[in-house]
């Protein structure tokens, strides 16, 4: 499986990114994979390889590139409960500094780069993300409804807030099909209802599913939150979504 580190030109410099794609000399649908707060690291690279094995060109940008190349913060091989607070303390300022304005500016650059790759087909792309990356995927899709045909978010961050630019307020711009896989502790029933209402009102083709027996971060095998059966369930939902929406790319 060919993989490489690439540099994406942005309005604010260059974002380093990991790319994985099939070794078949053909053009493939593009997938923009947004990292969780812990950043681009082996577990995300492995997930990108898995997706590439199913016929996709997968681009995983270092969202925190303004603070340095990945890994921006040194991480242990396993992010256990004892080290998690210290790691979070270093990462939270980076996440808070990554405003919606910066996210949208970067999304423009990421999509421009992704769709310009010679291995990527001319059709629509998907935006998927984990934790904070799910919010970025949703913002990307609502800002680029003509390009993004699928959105998937797993153990998502705050999709419903009081802010004027809360992701759920932008849903009327959405044309993509959506799957959201929630951990049991990700959202209250009231927040889920509000999200459902926004998606229903906009006529979006979507599914919101609570993955049983999970806690936030369940897809990430380098954390204590990892749940192997939930990770497989995530693939069982994600791959058909991509197949439905990107098959003709």
């Amino acid at each position: 499986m060919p993989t490489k580190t690439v540099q994406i030109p942005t309005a604010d410099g260059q974002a380093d990114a990991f790319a994985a794609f099939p070794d078949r000399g053909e053009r493939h649908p593009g997938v923009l994979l947004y990292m969780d707060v812990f950043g681009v690291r082996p577990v995300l690279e492995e997930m990108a390889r898995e997706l590439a094995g199913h016929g996709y060109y997968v681009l995983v940008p270092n969202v925190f590139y303004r603070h340095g190349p990945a890994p921006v913060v040194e991480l242990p091989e396993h992010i256990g409960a004892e080290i998690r607070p210290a790691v979070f303390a270093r990462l939270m300022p980076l996440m808070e500094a990554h405003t919606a304005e910066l996210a949208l500016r970067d999304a423009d650059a990421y999509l421009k780069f992704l769709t310009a790759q010679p291995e990527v087909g001319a059709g629509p792309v998907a935006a998927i993300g984990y934790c904070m990356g799910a919010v970025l995927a949703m913002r990307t899709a609502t800002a680029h409804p003509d390009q993004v045909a699928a959105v998937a978010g797993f153990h998502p961050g705050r999709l419903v807030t009081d802010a004027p630019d809360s992701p759920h307020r932008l849903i009327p711009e959405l044309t993509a099909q959506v799957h959201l896989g929630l951990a049991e502790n990700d959202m209250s029933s009231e927040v889920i209802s509000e999200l459902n209402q926004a998606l229903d009102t906009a006529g979006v083709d979507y599914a919101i599913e609570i993955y049983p027996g999970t806690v936030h971060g369940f897809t990430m095998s380098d954390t204590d939150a990892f749940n192997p059966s939930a990770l497989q369930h995530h693939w069982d939902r994600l791959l058909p979504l991509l197949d439905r929406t990107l098959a003709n790319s």
Side-chain angles (χ1 to χ4, degrees):
M1 187 69 59
T3 63
K4 58 185 177 182
T5 299
V6 297
Q7 298 294 324
I8 304 173
T10 76
D12 299 317
Q14 287 202 324
D16 53 303
F18 179 82
F21 48 94
D23 186 16
R24 296 202 290 266
E26 303 167 347
R27 301 177 78 188
H28 307 279
V31 175
L32 178 58
L33 192 161
Y34 280 111
M35 65 191 214
D36 63 351
V37 71
F38 295 124
V40 182
R41 60 198 192 282
V43 65
L44 283 184
E45 293 172 0
E46 183 55 40
M47 293 170 87
R49 288 189 189 94
E50 175 73 22
L51 268 180
H54 291 274
Y56 301 98
Y57 184 107
V58 187
L59 182 67
V60 190
N62 168 25
V63 170
F64 295 151
Y65 70 89
R66 292 175 181 84
H67 305 275
V72 179
V73 169
E74 187 175 346
L75 297 171
E77 196 169 305
H78 184 84
I79 305 166
E82 71 289 344
I83 195 69
R84 188 182 181 95
V87 174
F88 252 104
R90 297 184 65 189
L91 289 169
M92 283 304 291
L94 278 61
M95 186 172 75
E96 291 169 356
H98 194 68
T99 63
E101 180 185 356
L102 294 181
L104 292 175
R105 207 152 70 209
D106 287 346
D108 293 347
Y110 299 157
L111 288 177
K112 183 177 180 181
F113 181 91
L114 176 62
T115 55
Q117 298 313 294
E119 301 90 354
V120 176
V125 302
I128 69 175
Y130 302 84
C131 182
M132 61 171 274
V135 176
L136 300 177
M138 186 70 82
R139 290 198 184 281
T140 299
T142 53
H144 298 272
D146 56 332
Q147 283 186 286
V148 180
V151 178
F154 299 93
H155 40 88
R158 300 181 69 199
L159 293 172
V160 178
T161 74
D162 294 330
D165 62 352
S166 171
H168 82 290
R169 301 189 199 280
L170 307 175
I171 283 174
E173 306 300 322
L174 198 62
T175 59
Q177 292 186 32
V178 177
H179 176 81
L180 298 175
L182 311 182
E184 290 185 345
N185 64 339
D186 274 336
M187 295 182 191
S188 69
S189 57
E190 292 79 13
V191 169
I192 293 173
S193 294
E194 191 166 355
L195 196 51
N196 278 329
Q197 183 175 359
L199 290 159
D200 285 335
T201 300
V204 174
D205 184 346
Y206 76 97
I208 297 178
E209 184 176 358
I210 298 174
Y211 288 26
T214 57
V215 296
H216 186 76
F218 58 78
T219 61
M220 297 299 158
S221 62
D222 60 353
T223 74
D224 285 349
F226 180 53
N227 183 312
S229 61
L231 174 64
Q232 183 56 52
H233 191 65
H234 136 284
W235 290 122
D236 292 343
R237 293 293 185 262
L238 178 58
L239 293 172
L241 171 68
L242 299 181
D243 187 56
R244 288 195 307 273
T245 55
L246 305 185
N248 296 322
S249 294

